Amino acid sequence: MSRWSRVSLAGLSVVVVLLLVSSTLFLVGVSSADSSGADLAEAGEQRYIVNLDRPEATSSSELERISRDRTSEAAEKIDSFESADVVREFWISSSLLVEVESGVEELELLLDDPDVTSVRAESQVEAASAATVAVDDPVEAHGGHIYAWGVDRMSAPDVWSVYDSRGEGVKVAVLDTGVNVSHPDIDLYTRDPGDETYPGGWAAFNDTGYRIEGSTPFDHDGHGTHVSGLVVAGSESGAPLGVAPEADLMHAQVLGEEKTGTVSGVLAGMEWAVENEADVVSMSLGKEAEPVFIDAVRSADDMGVYVVSAVGNVGQGSSTSPGNIYETIAVGSTDEDGEYALFSGGEKIDSSDLWGEDRPDDWPDEYVVPDVVAPGVSVTGPWADGGYSAESGTSMSTPYVSGSIALAISAYEGSPERTNVVDSLYAGSISPYDEKNTEYGHGEVNAYETTQHLLNHATVTGRVKIDGGVVDNASVRLYGSDGRLVDEQRTDSLGGYSFAPLDTGEIYTVEAEKDSASGENQTSALPPGSTGLDVTLSEEAATIDVVGMHPVDLTVEPGQGFEVHSQVKNQASASVTENVSYRVESDESTEIEFTEVVEVGAGERHALKFDVDVTTLESGSYIHGVYTEQDEKTGNLLVSGGPVDAFFDDQGEPVDDGEVIQVLLKWKDTGDINGTKVDNAELIQLLLTWYGAVR
């Protein structure tokens, strides 16, 4: 059977299964904040998720504290209603699960509350996988390979050997149907090995998002054990099945026996994972577009947690939440040949069309999902019965990506900036296309390339501040040492910015401005990894500053001409006219000087070029630079030369035959000839003889 016919059949079977399941799962209505009373009344007695405005905060701890306070205040108000009860509060999404016993009056009151952004009926989520095929011999299932084909294709073993990283010290929280901890290839994290409830590594939640106290690890279905194993499974089967076998596995059971759960259960699982310091949250599940997940994903993202989720299995033109949230790392599937699987979801999302008023202001108008793809067709992994199975779906691809992130973070041996890790994930991915598209995203993840990229590139990250507070939506520009614009962006809600990947050893200048305030800061030569650099804005900006000069240090031959390029910037809030000079200076005086009068508009830059001729300069070392009235940029200029020159201090008196005379000989090394007076004795003797002859 050809590759295309094989993939097409696999994709078809998955699509059919999911469409049948979806016909029952998505009957639950969704009511937005502008829903009519009639729509709400038809819903009858059921549970609703009430979303509040997401708080603005300058730190993750402040975000959590403010969100907890707001949901608590809202809960007190809702509990005062006669027929409405708050079932659960979720700080991570600034929302509450509310049970309405009858009528619509209470819901209308909620919709009128200025702090409430939406009221939606609770709904279900499902696992993003399809048919299961039992596997007796995992090694045989992978053609006798020493690694599972997906693990091998992602170059995970190269990370293990080259960087000695298997995910140590990185916590990956899987949200799924549960996990079988007695499986020989599964090792679940716990803070207390003597406690069978696996504190810090296991949690089970019911449909309302309440944690089941005293629960011990189990798996409703097998799906959860399988996807957990694709992150951390060892080689008891004879072939390593997990990408990051020494990562710390956490598991939140949020899906039940039919591989379905609720939005509330998923929110509770995400909240638990963040509270227990997970580095990565991996979700092989989804549902139709669910705005409640937006704030949850953004909160986790703000706290430095990587949210990885399946894009869904209904083919091109589709996607599921939370995979289609802009900040989520959305994952699609490929087969053993690296071709995208036909069941794998993907689409270009119009932010306003899909999300309406729930769309955050800082999202782009359009974006593409998935972000990346990974192996997802006939992938072998552990199963809940203690054996193994081969499964297909974006469910399988998702833990592979989560494990790849764990490998890169572990190899970094520190705390890399989230932006740098994500950029490395995308830059290291391999695609047959030049641009991101709905089939491959940025490409198929390669764990080795991701890790190599992370370790060999630099990031500049920081916050823009003024008067002790952060500045959101500020314009931030990054310039190289030669004054060229490298990149630009706007700060996020916490005043943060991040530029990556950047060249190690380079010096960069970060400029920021908002309204009439501006400021800048400069790095030293960047080391690999992340460099923090905050920028403080000031209303009282300087006049014209020199923001770049190229070249800085150089060596030239006598008579050789060269060009110096520079940029100056007006830091003031009004146009400025000023003299800008280029000078070459020795220890004693200014040897060369050019002056140009420039007029620069408020906040604007002006480029200059100086043509320099060093014919008049003797060999030696000089300082050259560009100068304004209050600023300068300088460098070293070395003029190299030719051989030794010699000359005499002659008084012009006559000399008799046989008379001994004293002659003062001065000689200067004008080039690269090194030596002592003794070394040059023959040259001096020759010159004296010549002198006597010509007298």
Side-chain angles (χ1 to χ4, degrees), residues 20 54 56 81 115 129 147 149 157 195 210 212 251 260 285 326 357 455 486 511-512 540 555 594 618 623 636 687:
L20 290 174
R54 184 169 183 265
E56 295 183 1
F81 297 161
D115 293 330
S129 64
Y147 306 114
W149 76 263
D195 190 333
Y210 269 103
I212 302 171
H251 196 107
T260 62
L285 48 79
Y326 180 66
E357 294 182 359
L455 269 59
V486 177
E511 295 183 357
E540 296 297 328
T555 300
F594 306 111
E618 295 184 355
I623 298 296
N636 297 310
L687 291 170

Side-chain angles (χ1 to χ4, degrees), residues 480-481 507-510 520-524 533-535 547 633:
S481 59
I507 296 174
Y508 293 92
T509 298
V510 179
E520 69 174 54
N521 204 349
Q522 189 177 71
T523 71
S524 56
L533 191 74
D534 290 344
V535 180
V547 294
K633 285 283 189 296

